[in-house]
Amino acid sequence: MIGVVIISAFFAAAAAVTALLMGSGWWMALIVYSCGGAFVLVALALVVARREENDCPSQDAKSVSVTPTNIAIANAETSVKSHADSTG
């Protein structure tokens, strides 16, 4: 997440320098730096959040309900497999 802050600061500084080169005053460059940095920071944070949302397992995995019965069945299947492997 620190990369998002560094990238936003870089883009804000570039926008401020561009504003100065175009003949704007120092106050305008400061406003451009502040607003541009805030905008880029929020935009990149949304991109990162959206990317992490897409990295989640499929919807089928989310729709499985976790109940004590399902947990007991999964544990029983695991213990039967491990018992069969050890006696085999």
Side-chain angles (χ1 to χ4, degrees):
M1 198 66 174
I2 190 71
V4 171
V5 174
I6 293 171
I7 291 171
S8 65
F10 173 76
F11 277 106
V17 168
T18 302
L20 286 174
L21 292 176
M22 293 179 67
S24 298
W26 287 100
W27 284 108
M28 183 58 73
L30 182 62
I31 291 170
V32 167
Y33 177 78
S34 299
C35 293
F39 176 76
V40 173
L41 180 68
V42 170
L44 289 176
L46 290 174
V47 168
V48 169
R50 179 81 174 169
R51 185 180 64 194
E52 289 174 358
E53 181 181 290
N54 289 338
D55 289 343
C56 291
S58 67
Q59 293 294 336
D60 296 335
K62 290 181 182 178
S63 65
V64 175
S65 61
V66 178
T67 62
T69 305
N70 290 346
I71 294 171
I73 291 171
N75 288 340
E77 289 173 353
T78 304
S79 66
V80 169
K81 288 178 185 176
S82 64
H83 180 68
D85 291 339
S86 65
T87 60

